[in-house]
Amino acid sequence: MTGPRPPLPAEIPGYGPVRPYAAGPVPPGRPGPERAPNTAPDKRAPSLAAALRAAGLRDGATVSFHHHLRNGDAVLNMGLAELAALGLGDLHLAASSLFPVHAPLADHIRRGTVTRLSTAYISGPVAHALDALAQPATLQTHGGRARAIEAGELPIDLAIIAAPMADRTGNLTGALGPSACGPLGYPMVEAARARHVIAVTDCLSPTPLTAPEIPGHQVDQVVTVPRLGDAGQIVSGTTRPTDNPQARHIAALAARVIAASGLLADGISFQTGAGGISLAAARDLGQIMAQRGITGSFASGGITGTLVDLFRAGLFRDLLDVQCFDLAAVASFREDAAHRAMSASDYANPWHPDPVAHRLDAVILGAAEVDLDFNVNVTLGADGVILGGSGGHADTAAGAKLTVITTALTARGTPKIVPRVGCITTPGDTVDVIVTEAGLAVNPRRPDLADRLRHAGLPLTPIADLVRAAGSDNRPCSAQTGPIRAVSHYRDGRVTDVIRAP
């Protein structure tokens, strides 16, 4: 898109006044109190329907689900079907993320069972049903969602937690059981503050769990079902480093950026995504660390098998994990003592006194689009349909000392380096360098970084030249003018952008 970005509306019908994002640190705040403990010795319920009736929900309630089983999750669909059967409606769904497997939610939206939606990520058919909501969907960051729940801005009436293993007192873990998915980092937040918590498991332990991620006093009822879903579908991204020559070149450049940044020293902390380029860059960085005899302090985030390999090779002392992106990471969480769980709040809540995201030295992230102001879009496709969302993208970009964005110039003939992104997910003032096959562009806010990379012989180029190389410098403006379907939140609830119907 070309031309200036349209201003955000002052108010959105059904949403209310808009607080626009402005560059700078997130103002501090304090969380609200945790829920009162439930110390009942036996919390087993005969069925999910019985547990829901006992929860005392009413129309208009806010119900949360987590996404640790990702595209293998059956619990959200199961829970909404039971809520609909009870005749409940006008529900606010606060799911940490949504995937194609959650397609039945689209029908619940159209029927009015769900009329409001808050989430950090949407992939699949639900993206096409947002126009049936009573008000625009709210797209959060993972840290922003945790902050909103803890602050009481997103009060949860009922948290339904898929738990790969539970015991009768409500202790929950994702490390064990046939549906093991790794740490339960996202529901750890709502379990501490929801009015009522129902755990759904397909593996009820006959003995007490000794190392749960969620303690029993935060759970009110435990329901056993035949199957939580398909744990084999928890994979995110490619889960394997790319072998595409162009992508490998981008990955190698990204690793060299970190190596030349002045941050690659003993104790470095690092995070990367689950895409092929990011994983290849992590592998390349590991080779440089091994050559230089460097041992990092921790790797964090959504953990992949590639990061597990670096950890087991002795290149990082700890893995700090909010969610597992593949089964190799799940196995490591179960087997390796230094592979530790963290809640979404510990990970990226900007009101947390010391979130892990703020202790990162370097993070490598991907992009659907990047623009002249270094803004990044990972929310909206070129067709105007939502294809994802921030997740932890904006959180880690804000927290890390060095934020590296890797992307090809084009994808399937569509430019990815553009004059103006279709949606601002991650503001450009939190991005340091863009790495492409045609070279890398350093944010003018970081002349110190540009000097280091230039001295290291890396191919620097102005961002405007990358826009021209991508063939998008003369792309006509195609700004959407339809009704607002979703509002993109920054970490503290300020608005970075709005998404309109195509």
Side-chain angles (χ1 to χ4, degrees):
M1 300 179 186
T2 58
R5 178 171 294 279
L8 293 173
E11 188 163 346
I12 299 172
Y15 173 87
V18 170
R19 292 191 299 126
Y21 171 80
V26 171
R30 291 186 177 182
E34 293 192 3
R35 52 171 282 155
N38 182 336
T39 58
D42 190 346
K43 298 172 181 174
R44 291 175 294 176
S47 67
L48 182 55
L52 290 172
R53 285 192 293 269
L57 278 193
R58 297 183 178 182
D59 289 347
T62 298
V63 182
S64 73
F65 295 85
H66 72 75
H67 71 280
H68 286 280
L69 288 165
R70 304 181 74 79
N71 205 39
D73 171 52
V75 173
L76 185 146
N77 294 339
M78 187 189 312
L80 287 180
E82 292 287 0
L83 290 166
L86 291 174
L88 290 166
D90 191 28
L91 297 176
H92 179 185
L93 178 63
S96 52
S97 291
L98 296 166
F99 292 88
V101 72
H102 300 127
L105 170 58
D107 288 334
H108 289 296
I109 291 173
R110 295 185 180 106
R111 293 171 185 160
T113 303
V114 173
T115 59
R116 292 168 292 158
L117 176 63
S118 298
T119 188
Y121 183 94
I122 303 175
S123 172
V126 173
H128 297 275
L130 299 186
D131 56 353
L133 290 168
Q135 64 184 57
T138 299
L139 299 180
Q140 304 161 301
T141 73
H142 283 326
R145 179 178 185 270
R147 183 203 58 80
I149 291 172
E150 292 189 353
E153 295 173 12
L154 180 60
I156 306 297
D157 295 300
L158 171 64
I160 299 178
I161 299 175
M165 185 174 282
D167 64 25
R168 63 194 296 168
T169 64
N171 294 304
L172 312 179
T173 182
L176 304 168
S179 300
C181 61
L184 300 176
Y186 296 105
M188 289 167 73
V189 176
E190 48 258 52
R193 284 176 169 77
R195 182 181 65 79
H196 197 89
V197 176
I198 297 174
V200 180
T201 187
D202 58 5
C203 187
L204 187 68
S205 173
T207 57
L209 299 181
T210 57
E213 290 95 72
I214 295 175
H217 70 262
Q218 294 180 342
V219 176
D220 297 295
Q221 299 184 80
V222 178
V223 176
T224 302
V225 297
R227 198 163 178 242
L228 294 183
D230 180 2
Q233 295 297 312
I234 73 167
V235 294
S236 174
T238 65
T239 74
R240 293 190 307 275
T242 182
D243 57 6
N244 174 277
Q246 176 180 284
R248 288 286 300 114
H249 175 62
I250 296 171
L253 285 176
R256 289 177 61 195
V257 166
I258 296 174
S261 67
L263 296 170
L264 191 59
D266 278 336
I268 185 173
S269 53
F270 174 68
Q271 181 168 327
T272 188
I277 294 177
S278 295
L279 295 178
R283 186 176 62 185
D284 289 350
L285 182 65
Q287 292 172 354
I288 296 171
M289 292 172 67
Q291 291 166 3
R292 298 186 182 181
I294 290 171
T295 300
S297 57
F298 68 83
S300 67
I303 298 299
T304 61
T306 297
L307 290 179
V308 170
D309 289 343
L310 299 181
F311 163 72
R312 289 182 169 172
L315 297 174
F316 289 98
R317 290 192 292 273
D318 293 281
L319 294 177
L320 304 182
D321 195 352
V322 70
Q323 65 174 324
C324 287
F325 278 158
D326 56 31
L327 296 180
V330 174
S332 171
F333 179 63
R334 181 170 56 248
E335 298 164 4
D336 296 320
H339 185 160
R340 295 183 282 126
M342 60 179 171
S343 74
S345 183
D346 294 332
Y347 168 47
N349 178 355
W351 284 6
H352 189 287
D354 188 24
V356 168
H358 291 191
R359 287 190 271 154
L360 284 169
D361 288 312
V363 63
I364 299 176
L365 301 167
E369 291 180 320
V370 181
D371 70 17
L372 287 167
D373 294 319
F374 289 77
N375 297 312
V376 181
N377 167 27
V378 292
T379 302
L380 195 65
D383 59 358
V385 176
I386 293 174
L387 52 72
S390 174
H393 200 285
D395 295 311
T396 52
K401 295 184 179 72
L402 174 65
T403 298
V404 180
I405 305 294
T406 59
T407 180
L409 292 175
T410 64
R412 294 179 293 278
T414 300
K416 298 186 70 179
I417 313 294
V418 297
R420 192 180 83 217
V421 294
C423 174
I424 297 177
T425 311
T426 297
D429 64 284
T430 64
V431 172
D432 297 303
V433 58
I434 312 299
V435 181
T436 75
E437 70 273 24
L440 49 98
V442 177
N443 195 317
R445 300 166 67 97
R446 292 296 310 273
D448 59 317
L449 179 63
D451 288 343
R452 282 183 173 274
L453 302 187
R454 191 177 294 110
H455 181 74
L458 285 160
L460 272 62
T461 186
I463 186 74
D465 288 354
L466 294 181
V467 169
R468 284 188 285 272
S472 61
D473 51 327
N474 293 315
R475 185 172 62 156
C477 181
S478 56
Q480 296 169 330
T481 57
I484 295 173
R485 298 190 307 173
V487 180
S488 178
H489 275 199
Y490 194 58
R491 312 172 68 206
D492 60 350
R494 288 178 293 174
V495 175
T496 60
D497 218 331
V498 295
I499 298 168
R500 297 179 181 270

